[in-house]
């Protein structure tokens, strides 16, 4: 691996990846969407704020610095993709297709980047210790009712995940309360809490999802949002979900009495 860059969206994931790379003597160049974030600065070779989605400009700057490897990490609002007046011509052309689900859309962006000679890589190997293990993760295990809701949620996900939506779902007393769409997991959890106080959250990914740009993540904030919504258990796909700020996450799960478990893919058979 030569010079590496990160296009950093919101959240702590870019910081965690940057810190790990710096510890391995591979400090990245960082393009921070939404502005320069000071938390990233100690780990970066250089850091640039990105306010407009100018893909051609970003790629030309990377090539000028002889960057040959790129990581995409952090949250980028899907709404930005629909504000076409703020996009450069290259990105507009890349997005111009009938199929704009997350998997297809991000796949086309990665294809465009790699055509410029920059290799897009994932971060599974960098954060392998944060991948969800199998079985009970939290201090408390599942109740019988929570287990039933999670099993039912998995049966629903097995049908909708191949359609590239519904990465997360909330189930309460055997009924689907909310399904994640463009708004993201935390917003979906809040929406579910406005409808029903209670339930279980199940989070998975489609079996052919490209892990270079879209490994699902949860962290302490997810648990806090769940607690406000009254949800009492969280099921995550084994080795395909990242537990960010893991020690704090587990302490918070215990304090909030939320059961967290790692479950096998509902699409594995």
């Amino acid at each position: 691996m030569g010079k590496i860059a990160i296009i950093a969206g919101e959240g702590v994931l870019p910081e965690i990846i940057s810190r790990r790379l710096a510890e391995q003597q591979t400090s990245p160049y960082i393009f921070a969407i939404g502005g320069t974030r000071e938390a990233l600065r100690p780990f970066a070779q250089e850091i640039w704020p990105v306010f407009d989605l100018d893909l051609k400009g970003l790629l030309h700057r990377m090539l000028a610095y002889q960057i040959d490897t790129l990581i995409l990490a952090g949250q980028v609002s899907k709404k930005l993709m629909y504000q076409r007046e703020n996009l450069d011509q290259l990105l507009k052309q890349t997005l111009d297709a009938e199929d704009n689900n997350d998997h297809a859309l991000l796949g086309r962006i990665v294809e465009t980047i790699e055509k410029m000679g920059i290799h897009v890589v994932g971060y599974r190997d960098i954060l392998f210790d944060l991948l969800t293990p199998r079985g009970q993760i939290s201090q408390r295990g599942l109740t019988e009712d929570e287990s039933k809701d999670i099993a039912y949620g998995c049966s629903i996900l097995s049908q909708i995940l191949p359609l590239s939506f519904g990465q997360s779902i909330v189930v309460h007393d055997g009924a689907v309360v909310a399904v994640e769409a463009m708004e993201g997991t935390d917003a979906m959890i809040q929406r579910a809490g406005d409808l029903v106080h209670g339930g279980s959250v199940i989070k998975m990914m489609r079996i052919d999802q490209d892990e270079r740009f879209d490994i699902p993540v949860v962290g302490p904030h997810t648990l806090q949002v769940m607690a406000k919504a009254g949800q009492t258990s969280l099921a995550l796909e084994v080795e395909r979900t990242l537990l960010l700020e893991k020690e704090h996450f587990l302490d918070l799960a215990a304090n909030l009495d939320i059961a967290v478990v790692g479950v096998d893919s509902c699409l594995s058979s």
Side-chain angles (χ1 to χ4, degrees):
M1 185 182 296
K3 292 183 179 179
I4 187 167
I6 298 175
I7 294 181
E10 299 294 334
V12 300
L13 182 59
E15 180 184 346
I16 295 171
I17 295 172
S18 300
R19 181 186 295 112
R20 294 276 179 103
L21 289 172
E23 290 170 352
Q24 299 170 11
Q25 309 302 312
T26 313
S27 295
Y29 295 82
I30 297 177
F31 298 82
I33 294 178
T36 302
R37 292 190 291 282
E38 291 304 312
L40 298 171
R41 192 174 296 281
F43 315 111
Q45 289 278 0
E46 290 194 46
I47 183 167
W48 296 280
V50 176
F51 296 105
D52 296 318
L53 293 183
D54 178 4
L55 182 58
K56 185 175 181 179
L58 287 178
L59 295 177
H60 282 178
R61 175 166 282 187
M62 290 179 196
L63 293 172
Y65 277 80
Q66 298 182 318
I67 291 166
D68 56 16
T69 304
L70 178 63
I71 291 175
L72 308 175
Q75 301 165 358
V76 178
S77 173
K78 303 299 188 301
K79 292 188 294 184
L80 294 175
M81 300 301 179
Y82 292 94
Q83 297 170 350
R84 296 296 174 97
E85 68 277 6
N86 296 324
L87 307 182
D88 73 306
Q89 190 60 34
L90 179 60
L91 190 50
K92 286 180 181 178
Q93 291 172 350
T94 300
L95 299 179
D96 188 17
E98 293 183 2
D99 191 354
N100 278 320
N101 65 67
D102 286 358
H103 186 78
L105 185 149
L106 290 170
R108 293 200 304 275
I109 292 174
V110 168
E111 183 179 3
T112 297
I113 293 170
E114 295 203 319
K115 284 180 179 177
M116 297 289 288
I118 298 170
H119 185 44
V120 178
V121 299
Y123 39 82
R124 164 185 282 273
D125 291 343
I126 300 171
L127 305 178
F128 66 92
D129 56 313
L130 302 182
L131 291 167
T132 299
R134 180 175 285 101
Q136 182 175 329
I137 298 169
S138 57
Q139 190 175 90
R140 177 175 76 79
L142 297 173
T143 66
E144 183 177 350
D145 287 342
E146 289 167 344
S147 294
K148 289 179 180 178
D149 279 347
I150 288 170
Y152 178 64
C154 285
S155 72
I156 299 298
L157 287 173
S158 69
Q159 301 300 310
I160 64 176
L161 278 172
L163 302 176
S164 293
F165 79 100
Q167 192 175 77
S168 300
I169 189 171
V170 175
V171 176
H172 183 55
D173 287 344
V176 175
V177 181
V179 178
E180 179 182 351
M182 189 180 290
E183 78 274 34
T185 303
D186 289 348
M188 182 271 300
I189 289 171
Q190 291 176 325
R191 176 162 53 86
D194 291 338
L195 296 169
V196 175
H197 192 75
S200 298
V201 179
I202 304 97
K203 187 174 182 67
M204 291 191 174
M205 61 191 288
R206 55 184 281 172
I207 200 164
D208 62 343
Q209 196 157 317
D210 194 328
E211 294 185 1
R212 290 178 299 171
F213 51 76
D214 199 8
I215 298 180
V217 303
V218 296
H221 185 257
T222 304
L223 297 177
Q224 292 167 344
V225 177
M226 285 180 61
K228 290 180 181 178
Q231 292 139 15
T232 59
S233 65
L234 173 63
L236 305 170
E237 188 171 357
V238 170
E239 294 188 353
R240 300 190 83 200
T241 311
L242 291 168
L243 300 176
L244 303 184
E245 302 177 85
K246 190 173 182 179
E247 185 174 341
H248 179 33
F249 178 89
L250 295 176
D251 287 342
L252 190 59
N255 291 336
L256 296 175
D257 196 32
I258 293 175
V260 183
V261 296
V263 295
D264 289 318
S265 171
C266 62
L267 301 174
S268 58
S269 59

